[in-house]
C-alpha cells in the first residue's frame, strides 16, 4: 500500500515560537491552527511538531514527565485533538516528537526508580549496582552518570543532559562481567520499556496523529557498537505499529539510514553529526563563525561535496530497498540556514533541498530566511541552539505578529533587526526567498519525477567540484538539475538538454564543444 509519506513535504514547527494565540508570550496549538492555511498555501502538506508534552522544560520539552499529556502551555489533549482534526480537514498530515530513550529526572517513573525498595520501575532505567560506580568509562551510548541522586545504592546513566536519565533497553555487550548490573535487552525492564513505547505511540495514533519523528532513535541499547540490538528493538516496535496502523509513519533522528531503515523506519534524517557529511552543504564545522565559506553553497566556490556524495549514494541504495533519506533545511539544534548563506545562496540551497528524493523538511522561518540570533541568553537548555529558536516573523505589527504579549514577556526575543524578514513582506515580493520556495514546491508537485520516491543519480558535468548536477526520473519524465553556487562560471561537457522549466540567475549557454554554466545559478531542464 502506498503511504502518504511518499508525497509528503514537511514543515517543522517549534511550538514555543510559532504563533501565540492567547497573549501569554508563548506559542500554542490554537496558534498553529490559525496558521495551517499559510502552511498549506506555501505548498507543504505535512507538519512535524517538536515535543509538546508535560515537562519541566530543562531541555525544551525533550525531558518529559507525562508521555500521555500535552504541556498546558500549548493547550490540553482536547486542543491537540482539535489540531489533528484541523490538519486532516485540509488534507494534510501531522507527526509528533516521540522521545523513547529517556525521561525527565522529575518523571514519576524515575522517582520510583530512585527508591531503595524494589518496585515496578527499579529496572526501567540504566543503574549501576552501587553508589560510586560512576567511573564506568567507555560505555557506548551513555553521556554521563549521576551519582547519589537518591538513597538507591547506584549511579544512573544519562542519555543526553543531566535532566535526562536513560531508560533501560539493555546492553548489547556486557563489559562488567564480574557484576550483574548490565542487563540484556531481553530482560524484564527493557522489555517493559519496549511495551510502554508501543503504548505511547498507540495512544497518540488513536487520538489522530499520523506518526512520529523519533528522538535519538539510535541510542536505545548501550554498548551496541554496530547498533544491531537497537535495530532489532525498532524492528519489533515499528513492526507492531505499522501492522496496527498501516498508514502511520516513523522517521528517525538517527543520521545513519543504512541502520535506521533496517530498523523499519519510513525515513531517516541526515544530521549535523554521524557519517553523512551533511555539514559540508550549507554550514561548516565552525557553524558559529558567520564568515566561514568552506561549505558547498558558499559563493566562494571553496566547497567540496565529494564526501557528501559518496555517503549519500550509499544511503540512497539502502533507501531503494525501502524507506527514505531526508535532508532537512535545518532544525532546532543547529544554526539556521542563513547563518553562513546570504539570500542568493539560500535560494540555491532550496533548489537542492526541494528537488532531492526523500521527504523534504523545512524548519519554520527558513522559508523567509530568518536569522540565527547571536548572543541571546540560553532558554530551557538551548545554549547555542537558542538563537535558532526565536519567534516566527509574520508581519510588521507588534512582536512581528507572533504574540500580543508585552515584548519582555515573550518566550524568546524577536530578531532585533528592523529589516528582519517577515512573511507579509515576502509574500508581496516575487523574488523573495518565500516565493522561490513556493515556486519550487509547485514544481515538485507538478513533476512526479521530482517526488520523494522517483529515481535519482548524480552526474558529473565537469572535472571541477562545481556545478552540482543530478538527474531525477520516473516512467513519465527525466529532469536534469544543475546548481552552481560559486561566483564563477563553469565550463561543462556539452549536454543535450531540452526545455528549461525553472531557473535562478542565468541558465546555461551552449558553445560548439562545451556548455557554460553561469555563476550563482541553478536550472531544471528536461532531458531529451
Ligand atoms: C535531539 C533533539 O533534537 C534535541 O533538541 C534534544 O536536546 C536531544 N535529542 C535530547 O532529547
Amino acid at each position: 500500500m502506498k503511504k502518504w509519506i511518499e508525497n509528503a513535504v514537511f514543515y517543522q514547527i517549534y511550538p514555543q515560537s510559532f504563533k501565540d494565540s492567547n497573549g501569554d508570550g508563548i506559542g500554542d496549538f490554537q496558534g498553529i491552527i490559525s496558521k495551517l492555511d499559510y502552511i498549506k498555501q506555501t505548498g507543504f502538506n505535512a507538519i512535524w511538531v517538536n515535543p509538546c508534552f508535560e515537562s519541566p522544560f530543562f531541555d525544551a520539552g525533550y525531558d518529559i514527565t507525562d508521555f500521555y499529556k500535552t504541556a498546558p502551555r500549548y493547550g490540553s489533549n482536547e486542543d491537540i485533538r482539535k489540531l489533528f482534526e484541523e490538519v486532516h480537514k485540509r488534507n494534510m498530515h501531522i507527526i509528533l516528537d516521540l522521545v523513547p530513550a529517556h525521561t525527565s529526572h522529575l518523571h514519576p517513573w524515575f522517582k520510583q526508580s530512585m527508591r531503595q525498595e524494589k518496585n515496578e520501575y527499579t529496572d526501567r532505567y540504566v543503574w549501576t549496582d552501587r553508589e560510586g560506580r560512576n567511573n564506568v568509562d567507555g560505555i557506548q551510548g551513555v553521556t554521563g552518570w549521576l551519582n547519589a541522586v537518591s538513597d538507591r545504592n547506584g549511579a544512573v546513566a544519562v542519555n543526553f543532559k543531566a535532566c535526562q536519565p536513560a531508560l533501560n533497553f539493555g546492553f548489547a555487550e556486557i563489559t562488567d562481567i564480574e557484576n550483574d548490573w548490565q542487563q540484556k535487552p531481553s530482560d524484564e525492564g527493557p522489555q517493559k520499556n519496549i511495551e510502554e513505547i508501543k503504548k505511547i505511540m498507540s495512544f497518540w495514533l488513536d487520538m489522530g496523529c499520523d506518526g512520529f519523528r523519533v528522538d535519538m532513535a539510535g541510542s536505545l541499547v548501550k554498548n551496541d557498537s554496530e547498533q544491531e540490538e537497537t535495530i532489532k528493538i525498532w524492528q519489533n516496535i515499528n513492526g507492531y505499529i505499522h501492522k496496527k496502523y498501516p498508514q502511520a509513519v516513523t522517521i528517525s533522528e538517527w543520521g545513519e539510514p543504512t541502520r535506521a531503515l533496517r530498523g523499519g523506519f519510513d525515513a531517516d534524517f541526515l544530521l549535523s553529526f554521524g557519517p553523512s557529511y551533511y555539514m559540508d552543504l550549507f554550514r561548516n564545522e565552525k557553524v558559529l563563525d558567520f564568515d566561514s565559506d568552506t561549505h558547498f553553497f558558499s559563493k566562494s566556490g571553496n566547497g567540496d561535496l565529494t564526501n557528501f556524495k559518496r555517503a549519500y549514494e550509499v544511503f540512497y541504495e539502502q533507501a531503494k530497498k525501502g524507506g527514505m533519506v531526508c535532508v532537512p533545511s535545518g532544525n532546532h539544534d543547529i544554526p539556521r540556514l542563513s547563518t553562513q548563506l546570504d539570500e542568493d545562496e539560500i535560494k540555491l540551497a532550496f533548489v537542492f533541498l526541494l528537488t532531492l528524493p526523500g521527504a523534504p523538511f523545512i524548519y519554520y522561518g527558513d522559508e523567509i530566511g530568518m536569522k540565527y540570533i547571536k548572543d541571546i541568553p540560553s532558554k530551557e537548555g538551548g545554549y547555542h541552539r537558542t538563537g535558532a529558536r526565536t519567534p516566527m516573523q509574520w508581519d510588521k505589527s507588534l512582536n512581528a505578529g507572533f504574540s500580543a504579549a508585552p515584548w519582555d514577556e515573550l518566550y524568546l526575543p524577536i530578531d532585533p533587526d528592523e529589516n528582519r524578514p517577515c512573511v507579509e513582506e515576502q509574500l508581496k515580493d516575487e523574488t523573495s526567498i518565500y516565493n522561490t520556495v513556493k515556486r519550487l514546491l509547485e514544481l515538485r508537485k507538478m513533476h512526479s519525477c521530482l517526488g520523494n520516491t522517483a529515481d535519482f543519480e548524480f552526474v558529473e558535468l565537469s572535472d571541477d567540484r562545481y556545478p552540482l548536477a543530478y538527474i531525477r526520473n520516473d516512467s513519465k519524465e527525466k529532469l536534469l538539475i544543475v546548481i552552481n553556487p560559486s561566483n564563477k562560471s563553469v565550463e561543462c561537457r556539452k549536454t543535450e538538454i531540452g526545455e528549461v522549466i525553472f531557473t535562478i540567475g542565468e541558465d546555461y549557454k551552449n558553445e560548439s564543444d562545451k556548455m557554460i554554466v553561469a555563476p550563482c545559478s541553478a536550472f531544471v531542464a528536461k532531458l531529451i
Side-chain angles (χ1 to χ4, degrees), residues 150-277:
S150 69
D151 281 336
R152 176 170 175 162
N153 193 5
V156 70
V158 297
N159 219 30
F160 189 60
K161 301 273 167 67
C163 62
Q164 290 152 320
L167 284 164
N168 180 20
F169 292 92
F171 286 73
E173 193 195 341
I174 308 291
T175 37
D176 187 357
I177 33 176
E178 280 147 38
N179 303 289
D180 64 356
W181 58 275
Q182 294 175 321
Q183 301 192 345
K184 293 192 289 300
S186 56
D187 284 343
E188 194 180 321
Q191 287 300 313
K192 283 195 168 162
N193 281 335
I194 292 170
E195 294 314 309
E196 189 76 44
I197 299 299
K198 293 178 185 167
K199 212 172 123 196
I200 296 166
M201 294 171 90
S202 301
F203 178 83
W204 295 108
L205 290 167
D206 286 339
M207 194 181 283
C209 94
D210 300 300
F212 302 90
R213 172 268 190 188
V214 179
D215 187 65
M216 293 179 72
S219 74
L220 299 190
V221 179
K222 308 307 177 198
N223 271 347
D224 190 13
S225 55
E226 300 301 314
Q227 294 178 304
E228 289 299 327
E229 292 300 323
T230 299
I231 291 170
K232 274 190 215 151
I233 291 184
W234 283 116
Q235 285 169 344
N236 173 349
I237 298 176
N238 279 320
Y240 171 87
I241 291 295
H242 287 145
K243 184 153 182 250
K244 190 166 165 205
Y245 306 92
Q247 283 295 323
V249 155
T250 58
I251 305 174
S252 48
E253 187 211 24
W254 196 316
E256 275 192 65
T258 28
R259 293 177 178 180
L261 300 184
R262 283 181 47 226
F265 286 100
D266 294 285
D268 187 31
F269 289 110
L270 299 196
L271 297 166
S272 55
F273 54 88
S276 72
Y277 296 92

Side-chain angles (χ1 to χ4, degrees), residues 25 81 141 224 233 260 309 315 349 355 391 526:
R81 186 198 296 274
D224 190 13
I233 291 184
K309 286 189 198 167
F315 298 151
T355 56
K526 295 189 180 178

